[in-house]
């Protein structure tokens, strides 16, 4: 006679109490520790039983809260898609490091909720991005995490999806006027911190450089924080040094020859520039290149602070001071919000979660 594995015994016990109504829909089941004591077994055994019940849609997890009983109509329906689609607007070589961290963070949380993650890239094409959103909805995805949207608030097509039958969570960039949940960075605080550091190091002619044509919520926060730090310290804001957008055409967004040319012109026109906060590490590295062409040294002639903390930052002769944006946490928080949306479908209040950045200090800013 075969002896049933202990996790199967526990699994059947939980399932029986669900189907008999002892554990009611949307109510929490006992904790893993309680099951360990009740069955005198290990957490590994308990977790295996619970994992299988999550996959079979008898229960679902809420990160940091507990495990809950699934609604009657959803139980046992493994054939239904448990897929969440993560749609990036690009997979640029250096951005891939940022994207990968988001994926790892989101996957960790979604797995705990019995969900899988599929990743798509629209390669900086707006039409492709919205085609992928429509496909996700038609193909039965449980929800969408949308990273990046290169449009302005007035013209974005994202407003077409306000009544989407599945939750859409915006990350990194978002639109204040649209009701989508979002996970964003503390961009204003980071911009302010960078400005405060520049000022404490004696710089007065301080700039900001954004290389693209459409100002996003991200750059708006950063430049506004920088300007506020200057005002609070009675430093005059030179508008010629603050570049909030350029004439870069959309098809040239990642043409670094075009961006380099624009940066070179900026440096030649603003020879009084002492310090600059750049939108991202790619932009900062192009500043390194163009400054060298003009005989300028970092940080002796121009101090640099940026955003990304990519792997390449530390291998330059003068390492790049940059904000680590904790992309893995952005992914985790987006997954948590999405799971809560799936559980609390009638909840209408918008959730906007902000993630703190961490400044990684290297020598591009006189340290």
């Amino acid at each position: 006679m075969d002896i049933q594995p202990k996790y199967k015994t526990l699994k059947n016990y939980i399932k029986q109490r669900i189907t008999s109504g002892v554990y009611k829909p949307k109510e929490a089941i006992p904790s893993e520790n309680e099951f360990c004591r009740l069955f005198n077994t290990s957490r590994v055994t308990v977790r295996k039983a619970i994992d299988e019940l999550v996959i079979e849609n008898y229960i679902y997890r809420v990160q940091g809260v507990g495990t809950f009983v699934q609604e009657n109509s959803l139980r046992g329906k493994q054939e239904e898609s448990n897929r969440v689609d993560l749609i990036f607007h690009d997979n640029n070589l250096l951005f891939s490091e940022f994207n990968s961290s988001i994926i790892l963070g989101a996957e960790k949380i979604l797995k705990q909720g019995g969900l899988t993650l599929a990743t798509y890239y629209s390669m900086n094409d707006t039409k492709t991005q919205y085609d992928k959103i429509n496909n996700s909805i038609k193909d039965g995805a449980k929800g969408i995490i949308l990273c990046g949207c290169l449009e302005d608030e007035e013209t974005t097509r994202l407003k077409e999806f306000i009544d989407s039958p599945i939750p859409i969570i915006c990350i990194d960039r978002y639109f204040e006027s649209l009701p989508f949940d979002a996970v964003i960075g503390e961009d204003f605080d980071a911009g302010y911190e960078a400005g405060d550091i520049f000022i404490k190091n004696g710089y007065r002619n301080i700039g900001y450089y954004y290389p693209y044509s459409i100002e996003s919520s991200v750059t708006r926060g950063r430049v506004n924080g920088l300007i506020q730090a200057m005002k609070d310290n009675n430093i005059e804001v030179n508008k010629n040094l603050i570049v909030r957008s350029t004439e870069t055409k959309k098809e040239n967004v990642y043409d670094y020859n075009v961006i380099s040319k624009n940066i070179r012109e900026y440096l030649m026109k603003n020879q009084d520039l002492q310090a600059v906060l750049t939108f991202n590490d790619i932009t900062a590295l192009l500043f390194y290149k163009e400054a060298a062409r003009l005989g300028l040294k970092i940080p002796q002639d121009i101090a640099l602070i940026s955003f990304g903390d990519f792997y390449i930052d530390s291998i330059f002769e003068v390492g790049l001071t940059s904000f680590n944006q904790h992309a893995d946490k952005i992914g985790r928080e987006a997954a948590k919000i999405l799971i809560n949306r799936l559980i609390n479908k009638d909840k209408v209040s918008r959730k906007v979660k902000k993630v703190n950045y961490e400044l990684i200090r290297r020598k591009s800013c006189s340290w």
Side-chain angles (χ1 to χ4, degrees):
M1 179 178 175
D2 293 334
I3 299 176
Q4 182 172 251
K6 204 162 192 177
Y7 86 88
K8 285 281 190 185
T9 302
L10 175 56
K11 175 184 172 182
N12 291 335
Y13 170 84
I14 297 172
K15 186 187 291 187
Q16 191 277 328
R17 292 179 81 78
I18 291 172
T19 56
S20 66
V22 176
Y23 298 156
K24 294 179 172 55
K26 295 192 175 182
E27 288 187 354
I29 66 171
S31 68
E32 291 182 5
N33 285 336
E34 289 178 85
F35 281 128
C36 287
R37 289 193 295 271
L38 182 63
F39 279 77
N40 189 28
T41 191
S42 68
R43 288 186 67 126
V44 173
T45 298
V46 173
R47 192 158 292 169
K48 185 171 177 59
I50 289 176
D51 284 346
E52 287 199 2
L53 289 169
V54 167
I55 292 171
E56 294 174 14
N57 266 331
Y58 278 90
I59 57 179
Y60 57 86
R61 292 187 177 98
V62 179
Q63 175 71 13
V65 179
T67 305
F68 297 81
V69 178
Q70 187 60 274
E71 297 175 43
N72 294 347
S73 61
L74 298 176
R75 292 177 195 165
K77 293 188 176 181
Q78 296 184 70
E79 70 276 5
E80 287 193 3
S81 171
N82 278 332
R83 190 186 82 245
V84 170
D85 289 351
L86 174 52
I87 302 173
F88 291 101
H89 73 85
D90 70 82
N91 192 31
N92 175 273
L93 178 60
L94 286 181
F95 284 150
S96 65
E97 183 179 350
F98 181 76
N99 293 350
S100 296
S101 295
I102 290 173
I103 292 168
L104 291 173
E107 276 186 326
K108 182 177 181 180
I109 301 303
L110 293 173
K111 184 178 179 182
Q112 294 175 2
L115 298 166
T116 60
L117 184 68
T119 304
Y120 302 93
Y121 300 92
S122 58
M123 304 311 292
N124 195 41
D125 182 80
T126 302
K127 181 180 182 302
T128 300
Q129 185 176 56
Y130 290 116
D131 285 345
K132 290 187 182 299
I133 293 174
N134 274 313
N135 289 339
S136 295
I137 295 170
K138 291 176 183 177
D139 292 345
K142 290 283 190 180
I144 296 170
I145 299 173
L146 182 64
C147 183
C149 189
L150 291 180
E151 298 175 291
D152 59 49
E153 195 137 357
E154 292 184 1
T155 61
T156 178
R157 284 183 55 199
L158 194 58
K159 62 185 68 172
E160 298 173 13
F161 297 92
I162 288 175
D163 296 321
S164 167
I166 62 175
I168 298 176
I169 316 298
C170 294
I171 60 176
D172 191 37
R173 303 175 188 183
Y174 81 118
F175 298 114
E176 293 180 6
S177 64
L178 300 183
F180 300 105
D181 296 320
V183 181
I184 58 176
E186 290 281 10
D187 291 294
F188 181 92
D189 290 354
Y192 192 99
E193 182 180 354
D196 195 51
I197 289 169
F198 283 146
I199 293 164
K200 286 178 178 176
N201 278 274
Y203 302 116
R204 294 297 178 266
N205 296 323
I206 299 170
Y208 177 86
Y209 196 89
Y210 179 74
Y212 310 131
S213 59
I214 298 174
E215 182 181 88
S216 67
S217 59
V218 177
T219 197
R220 191 177 305 119
R222 294 172 186 177
V223 71
N224 288 346
L226 177 72
I227 290 173
Q228 190 61 52
M230 295 170 68
K231 289 180 177 179
D232 288 350
N233 286 276
N234 298 314
I235 303 297
E236 182 180 355
V237 178
N238 184 338
K239 293 183 179 180
N240 292 327
L241 302 182
I242 306 295
V243 176
R244 305 180 73 118
S245 64
T246 69
E247 297 300 318
T248 305
K249 294 181 180 179
K250 196 166 186 180
E251 59 268 24
N252 294 328
V253 163
Y254 297 120
D255 186 332
Y256 297 137
N257 290 322
V258 171
I259 296 174
S260 290
K261 177 177 176 291
N262 292 340
I263 290 172
R264 184 163 61 254
E265 291 175 355
Y266 170 81
L267 290 171
M268 292 172 66
K269 288 178 182 177
N270 299 290
Q271 296 185 23
D272 56 343
L273 179 71
Q274 296 176 319
V276 61
L277 176 64
T278 63
F279 174 66
N280 57 28
D281 288 353
I282 297 172
T283 311
L285 297 178
L286 295 177
F287 261 87
Y288 265 101
K289 184 183 76 169
E290 294 307 321
R293 284 186 176 184
L294 296 173
L296 301 172
K297 294 183 178 180
I298 308 294
Q300 291 91 331
D301 298 309
I302 300 174
L304 276 178
I305 298 179
S306 187
F307 292 84
D309 187 35
F310 295 145
Y311 68 91
I312 199 170
D313 295 355
S314 61
I315 68 176
F316 275 71
E317 183 178 353
V318 177
L320 178 60
T321 296
S322 183
F323 285 95
N324 186 316
Q325 295 171 249
H326 295 297
D328 58 332
K329 186 173 182 181
I330 291 174
R332 292 199 304 272
E333 294 298 333
K336 289 178 187 178
I337 292 174
L338 193 145
I339 290 173
N340 276 298
R341 273 290 174 208
L342 293 175
I343 295 165
N344 303 303
K345 295 179 181 178
D346 297 329
K347 186 178 178 182
V348 295
S349 59
R350 182 190 194 189
K351 175 80 171 177
V352 177
K353 173 72 177 180
K354 291 188 176 182
V355 173
N356 289 323
Y357 296 158
E358 177 187 5
L359 186 63
I360 306 301
R361 301 189 177 198
R362 301 185 180 94
K363 294 185 178 180
S364 68
C365 192
S366 294
W367 278 290

